[in-house]
Amino acid sequence: MTKFQPNRTDLRTKKEVIDDFKTYLLKEELSTQAELETLTYDHLLELLHEFLYETEEINGVACSTPRAWYIWINVVLKENPVNGQQIWNNFVKDSFLDIEHHSLTTILASRGLGKSYLVYVLYPLFKMYLMEGTKVLLASNVPDMCARNVRETKRMIDSNEILLEKKGLHKKRELLWSQKKFEFNDGVIETASAGQNVRGFHPDFIFIDDILRDDSKISDEEMHNFFFGQIYPMHERLKARIVITGTPIHTRDIYHDIMNSQPNLSGTRLGDGAISHKGFWCKEYKIIKDWSKKEIYLPHLTSWWRLADLNNPQSALNVQGQSRFMREFMLVCTDESTTMFPEKLLKACTQDYKYLEMAEVAKPPKTYVMGVDVATAGEASSDSSVFLVIEILTIDKRIKKIVRHVTAVKGMPVPDQNDTIQQLSNRFNNCFVVIEKNNVGVALLQELQKRNVPVDEYTTSKTTKEMMMRYLVSEMKNGNLYFPEDTHEIRGLKSELLNFGIKKTKQGKERMEALSGHDDRVIALAIANYAATYMSSVPFIASANVY
């Protein structure tokens, strides 16, 4: 047994906590200065604990309130004792509700948001402080990661006078206080690494953080056996609350399985706050909230310049590359074995554009074609209506195509879609429009014909979709399709392309679709690419219904 030696040079005292508590009460108008002056130190401490133990009923279960959590973070803990930084931020605020209101929770979060600190330090200590005898299991991919995060937890306890009161002695003996296991408030925290036997422990809370490894030393099958063979039965048998956090590695990893809308990875990965087919509440926190507005989720942590500005050679996007950046910061991952549009191919389509600009091309008027993939109108659907314009060039008797415009909007009503298509067609030299045929597409087609917009339909079946996609890959590999500079619209298109590939159904059949998320932009690009080629060789309206 190893005794942990606390460092109390940065001790947060009871007096500091109570002073901050009084400031909070005044700020929230929960008390007046005159009333506070009548309260003794012990009365204020008692009132503080009343707030910490405040609960509300959620789905028949008593849960700690957001106010109790706020006071725990901002009044009791306040700062990280290691670096002195304020703890409270939007991620700490938002993710608390995910964990507190659900017995099974999966949270995917960008690197650097503080998910490990949340599940190793902040939340476990909150529950252990409130409930005597609480048992917690913390699991990560390797023992070193467990030990590193446990040191953070111990440091928090030994740097706070209020927490130290509940460290104490256990049955008149010195507490167990090692790097793998330690006691607090008559409860215990134990750690485990992936694959380790944990069947003999009976925890109240299980926190699994960054369980996956890049080195593949633990196979997907072993990881699934560890979780569903050892961890999950604790929830079923002991009603232990399970929280899984991390960053995905590939499209068939355990996160994608647990967060999928359907069994056998046959659906989509959920992340907007929904219950998966395995019963887990699923939430994603990406570092970039809005590409077009350059809006960062936690702007105090980083800036657009440091994170994703293409003009900054040291930005994370430029240093890591598109696929790694999208995985680590935007939670979008692909496999070379399954994606049809790997990063190398997308890079080539962008780099070759520079040479195309220097080539001798036809003078205006230029020729364009628009591919349209429409979603259900009048609803805030998960799919987007996408309007994608391609410019068509003829160089050395070869057809070259450049993506010139992408618009993607969720839940756009039919009248707005008609207006958007007409405006874009007019803007790009009265370009021809090809619309995917569905219920909404038929309505658009009829209205646009009345407006004299050159338009035709495209009927998408499994066969025609696969043909279109293979042709799109072929044109990109042959250097006939180009992406200009990386705008946020082009990045959105590339992200969907990276995430589009071949998935197997539970019956073992293969389908071309989004590996996770959506493929609306990809469909619009494939339609426009196919139409652009055949517009250049045969009368398009005559051939449109053929393909």
Side-chain angles (χ1 to χ4, degrees), residues 178-195:
S178 70
Q179 297 215 3
K180 294 183 179 180
K181 179 178 180 180
F182 66 92
E183 295 167 311
F184 178 70
N185 196 20
D186 279 339
V188 64
I189 288 181
E190 289 196 15
T191 64
S193 54

Side-chain angles (χ1 to χ4, degrees), residues 432-466:
F432 201 88
V433 181
V434 185
I435 301 175
E436 182 184 16
K437 185 179 180 181
N438 55 28
N439 292 335
V440 181
V442 171
L444 289 173
L445 186 72
Q446 294 171 347
E447 175 60 27
L448 291 168
Q449 287 172 338
K450 293 178 183 178
R451 301 185 187 190
N452 294 320
V453 175
V455 62
D456 211 332
E457 66 189 33
Y458 180 91
T459 302
T460 303
S461 65
K462 182 177 183 295
T463 301
T464 58
K465 180 179 180 180
E466 290 183 359

Side-chain angles (χ1 to χ4, degrees), residues 273-324:
I275 302 295
S276 71
H277 78 285
K278 290 189 179 294
F280 280 75
W281 173 258
C282 304
K283 196 68 176 290
E284 296 176 356
Y285 293 94
K286 303 175 181 180
I287 193 69
I288 297 176
K289 292 182 65 176
D290 192 312
W291 282 90
S292 60
K293 297 178 181 177
K294 300 181 179 180
E295 184 179 352
I296 308 298
Y297 180 53
L298 297 181
H300 70 282
L301 290 181
T302 187
S303 65
W304 181 265
W305 171 257
R306 294 175 57 191
L307 190 67
D309 199 311
L310 292 169
N311 295 319
N312 177 15
Q314 278 78 49
S315 70
L317 178 57
N318 281 327
V319 172
Q320 289 187 291
Q322 178 89 6
S323 61
R324 290 188 183 88

Side-chain angles (χ1 to χ4, degrees), residues 450-488:
K450 293 178 183 178
R451 301 185 187 190
N452 294 320
V453 175
V455 62
D456 211 332
E457 66 189 33
Y458 180 91
T459 302
T460 303
S461 65
K462 182 177 183 295
T463 301
T464 58
K465 180 179 180 180
E466 290 183 359
M467 178 271 297
M468 267 199 320
M469 292 304 167
R470 290 193 178 96
Y471 182 63
L472 178 58
V473 172
S474 175
E475 286 293 89
M476 292 170 70
K477 287 183 176 179
N478 291 330
N480 296 327
L481 181 67
Y482 304 94
F483 300 122
E485 66 281 355
D486 263 345
T487 61
H488 69 273

Side-chain angles (χ1 to χ4, degrees), residues 160-192:
N160 191 296
E161 192 174 6
I162 283 186
L163 270 61
L164 277 170
E165 283 192 337
K166 296 203 175 185
K167 179 179 176 182
L169 296 176
H170 182 72
K171 297 180 180 179
K172 296 184 179 181
R173 66 169 173 80
E174 187 179 4
L175 292 179
L176 181 65
W177 200 247
S178 70
Q179 297 215 3
K180 294 183 179 180
K181 179 178 180 180
F182 66 92
E183 295 167 311
F184 178 70
N185 196 20
D186 279 339
V188 64
I189 288 181
E190 289 196 15
T191 64

